[in-house]
């Protein structure tokens, strides 16, 4: 079958090349065009499929196979159900693919099952395209249990049983039914015992089903078939990591993979995780920074940078932002979205450094809010006080002109106290308390606002009277 697929792939490549050059040969037979069409479907190449349907409409207007494919193209790709239904009503052939099309317009699941059983009973064989459309129909109408109950019967008439088993296994895998996925993949290994891809898929499914010993056995089979395949080498270390038993040999294996494939992100991520679990922070920083320096792929470089951000080591983060992001070595399409992503991931130092790197530009209120919270969470109170005092940023005016200044300015007020900028604190606290009374409809939010005002009143009283106090006892964000 592999040799057949290689031949079909060549046909597809040559056809598309000729198509783009405007020099399509007129001597493709119907079987060739059907094979190219189905291969193009696997490649999600709608352009080639559409052009083949146009060509077949002229060359083979009576072809039932192309008639059915045209109907499915109308229904599934162009969302033209009425046109597809019209074609379905016109056909006279009793082929499996037409049976499936007819049933796809049926709303009653029991009638679909009955129709499928009748169609299968009349068939002596099912080809790959029949199988793929059968699985699609089962997925669309939640008929996977029916497919499982009848899979032995269907297998007996499949020209390529491996296709049916793999597609049905994928259906159950996507639905999280790993027990049935494993059962079907194990049957597939009996049909294709030397297919490393199947063993690898079985290994991942066993792991998801928490059968880690069986998962390791399966990946070992994959490696026995293709020992040099780095994908399976990395997969085995990943499974060892899940087991909690990665060894120095496994780490060496990952380094070996990265020597061959420096941008293998899975190997890098697993190595990062193992080293972090071992507490080797300095070593992992050195290793990742070296990888970042050598990386030629921008997407991989961003992934490496974000792994380092997770360590919340601010000097390292500042170095990455200045040496790669600001310098233009690291290209981020949307810097604001990048900062927001770090904030959502709890990488507050990275979020703050990213925003600070372009703070000279006009910033929206939401960006200031995110920056204030990030700086407060990483305890950079002096930077907050500096921003508040600097007229270049106009923070005082920004928040005096907004309707809801309390939360970000409450954080700023606490930072001013923590950095001993008491005069600025009094100015800000008086503004919040006296000049901008806040009315909140929601009772829970009103309680939070009331608590914030109480804290500001208490701090003003202590500071104004020169009394000693412990700020942690007033700070609701103290962890």
């Amino acid at each position: 079958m592999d040799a057949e697929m290689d031949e079909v792939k060549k046909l597809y490549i040559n056809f598309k090349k000729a198509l783009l050059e405007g020099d399509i040969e007129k001597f493709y037979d119907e079987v060739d065009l059907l094979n190219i069409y189905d291969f193009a479907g696997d490649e999600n190449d709608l352009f080639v499929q559409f052009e083949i349907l146009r060509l077949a409409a002229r060359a083979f207007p009576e072809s039932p196979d192309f008639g059915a494919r045209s109907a499915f193209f109308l229904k599934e790709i162009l969302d033209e159900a009425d046109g597809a239904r019209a074609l379905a009503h016109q056909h006279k052939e009793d082929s499996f693919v037409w049976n499936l099309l007819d049933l796809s317009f049926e709303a009653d699941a029991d009638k679909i099952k009955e129709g499928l059983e009748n169609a299968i009973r009349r068939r002596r064989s099912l080809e790959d395209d029949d199988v793929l459309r059968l699985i699609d129909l089962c997925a669309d109408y939640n008929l996977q249990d029916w497919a499982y109950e009848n899979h032995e019967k269907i297998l007996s008439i499949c020209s390529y049983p491996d296709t049916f088993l793999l597609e049905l296994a994928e259906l159950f895998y996507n639905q999280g039914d790993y027990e049935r996925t494993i059962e079907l993949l194990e049957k597939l290994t009996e049909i294709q015992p030397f297919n490393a891809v199947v063993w690898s898929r079985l290994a991942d499914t066993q792991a998801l089903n928490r059968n880690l010993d069986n998962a390791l056995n399966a990946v070992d089979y994959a490696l026995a078939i293709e020992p040099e395949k780095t994908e399976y080498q990395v997969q085995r270390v990943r499974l060892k990591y899940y087991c909690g038993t990665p060894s120095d040999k496994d780490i060496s294996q990952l380094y070996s993979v990265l020597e061959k494939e420096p941008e293998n992100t899975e190997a890098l991520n697993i190595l990062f995780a193992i080293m972090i679990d071992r507490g080797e922070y300095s070593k992992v920083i050195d290793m990742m920074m070296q990888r970042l320096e050598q990386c030629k792929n921008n997407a991989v470089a961003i992934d490496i940078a974000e792994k380092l951000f997770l360590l919340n080591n601010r000097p390292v983060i500042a170095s990455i932002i200045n040496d790669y992001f600001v310098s233009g070595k690291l290209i981020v399409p949307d810097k604001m979205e990048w900062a927001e992503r770090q904030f959502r991931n709890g990488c507050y130092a990275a979020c703050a450094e990213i925003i600070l790197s372009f703070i000279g530009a006009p910033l929206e209120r939401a960006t200031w809010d995110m920056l204030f919270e990030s700086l407060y969470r990483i305890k950079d109170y002096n930077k907050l006080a500096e921003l508040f005092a600097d007229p270049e940023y106009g923070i005082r005016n920004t928040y005096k002109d907004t309707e809801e200044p309390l939360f970000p300015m409450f954080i700023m007020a606490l930072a001013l106290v923590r950095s001993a900028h008491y005069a600025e604190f009094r100015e800000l606290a008086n503004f919040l308390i006296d000049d901008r009374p806040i009315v909140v409809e929601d009772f829970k939010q009103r309680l939070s606002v009331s608590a914030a005002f109480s804290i500001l009143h208490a701090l003003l009283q202590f500071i104004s009277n020169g009394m000693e106090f412990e700020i942690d006892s007033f700070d609701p964000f103290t962890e």
Side-chain angles (χ1 to χ4, degrees), residues 289 293 317-330:
M289 289 297 288
E293 178 64 31
I317 291 169
S319 171
I320 293 171
I321 299 303
N322 291 324
D323 297 344
Y324 293 92
F325 177 55
V326 176
S327 71
K329 292 181 183 177
L330 200 64

Side-chain angles (χ1 to χ4, degrees), residues 438-454:
I438 297 175
V439 178
V440 180
E441 294 296 330
D442 184 89
F443 270 26
K444 290 182 180 179
Q445 290 182 13
R446 189 180 298 182
L447 180 62
S448 299
V449 169
S450 177
F453 280 137
S454 296

Side-chain angles (χ1 to χ4, degrees), residues 29-255:
D29 64 24
E30 183 179 356
V31 173
D32 283 346
L33 287 178
L34 285 168
N35 286 333
I36 297 168
Y37 180 90
D38 293 340
F39 189 89
D42 294 338
E43 298 293 308
N44 293 314
D45 192 337
L46 299 180
F47 170 60
V48 166
Q49 287 191 301
F50 179 72
E51 290 297 328
I52 286 179
L53 290 177
R54 291 179 61 208
L55 180 59
R58 296 190 301 271
F60 311 106
E62 302 300 321
S63 167
D65 292 316
F66 271 118
R69 282 164 175 76
S70 297
F72 273 107
F73 194 88
L74 281 170
K75 183 175 186 289
E76 296 173 353
I77 306 302
L78 301 182
D79 199 23
E80 285 286 344
D82 290 341
R85 188 181 283 108
L87 286 176
H89 288 163
Q90 292 171 14
H91 80 85
K92 300 176 182 178
E93 301 79 12
D94 179 29
S95 70
F96 191 68
V97 69
W98 279 116
N99 296 154
L100 294 179
L101 183 63
D102 290 335
L103 291 170
S104 72
F105 295 110
E106 176 60 64
D108 188 319
D110 288 334
K111 289 184 178 179
I112 296 175
K113 293 177 190 176
E114 182 182 352
L116 285 172
E117 288 166 4
N118 289 335
I120 288 169
R121 195 178 301 116
R122 296 196 300 272
R123 303 275 88 78
R124 291 188 176 182
S125 67
L126 295 180
E127 301 305 317
D128 273 358
D129 190 60
D130 298 329
V131 166
L132 295 174
R133 295 196 183 282
L134 171 61
I135 296 297
D136 285 344
L137 186 70
C138 290
D140 290 343
Y141 291 90
N142 201 30
L143 299 176
Q144 63 276 0
D145 289 339
W146 174 89
Y148 177 78
E149 290 164 6
N150 290 273
H151 79 272
E152 293 287 359
K153 186 189 304 181
I154 297 168
L155 272 177
S156 67
I157 58 172
C158 285
S159 297
Y160 299 103
D162 50 328
T163 300
F164 175 69
L165 283 172
L166 183 59
E167 293 298 323
L168 186 57
E170 285 295 308
L171 176 58
F172 284 117
Y173 181 90
N174 291 333
Q175 294 178 344
D177 188 340
Y178 302 129
E179 290 286 350
R180 285 180 175 177
T181 305
I182 289 167
E183 178 186 343
L184 294 166
L185 288 175
E186 286 179 339
K187 286 187 177 182
L188 186 51
T189 61
E190 294 173 7
I191 297 173
Q192 293 191 346
F194 300 108
N195 188 327
V197 174
V198 175
W199 285 108
S200 174
R201 189 58 158 166
L202 177 59
D204 275 340
T205 312
Q206 292 280 21
L208 288 168
N209 208 41
R210 300 184 180 182
N211 303 323
L212 293 174
D213 288 341
N214 290 341
L216 283 169
N217 288 337
V219 78
D220 282 341
Y221 273 107
L223 280 167
I225 297 164
E226 295 188 51
E228 300 303 316
K229 185 92 168 182
T230 57
E231 178 186 344
Y232 306 146
Q233 294 169 0
V234 173
Q235 183 183 19
R236 190 178 196 284
V237 180
R238 170 163 50 82
L239 293 173
K240 291 285 293 294
Y241 176 68
Y242 291 162
C243 293
T245 57
S247 63
D248 290 341
K249 183 179 179 181
D250 294 320
I251 292 176
S252 297
Q253 180 70 77
L254 293 175
Y255 274 114

Side-chain angles (χ1 to χ4, degrees), residues 13 28 74 109 117 151 191 213 216 233 297 303 312 325-326 363 373 421 432 478:
I13 292 170
Y28 284 98
L74 281 170
E117 288 166 4
H151 79 272
I191 297 173
D213 288 341
L216 283 169
Q233 294 169 0
N297 182 304
D303 184 70
N312 281 312
F325 177 55
V326 176
L363 300 182
E373 183 174 346
H421 289 78
L432 291 171
T478 300

Side-chain angles (χ1 to χ4, degrees), residues 368 372 381-397 399-400 409 412-413 416 421 423-429 431:
W368 285 114
F372 293 164
Y381 311 121
N382 287 321
K383 187 63 180 180
L384 281 165
E386 177 189 324
L387 292 171
F388 184 74
D390 195 328
E392 178 185 352
Y393 304 123
I395 290 173
R396 284 179 170 88
N397 293 330
Y399 283 89
K400 284 182 179 179
M409 286 295 95
M412 181 64 77
L416 291 170
H421 289 78
E424 290 86 349
F425 165 74
R426 282 193 292 268
E427 173 199 342
L428 180 55
F431 159 69

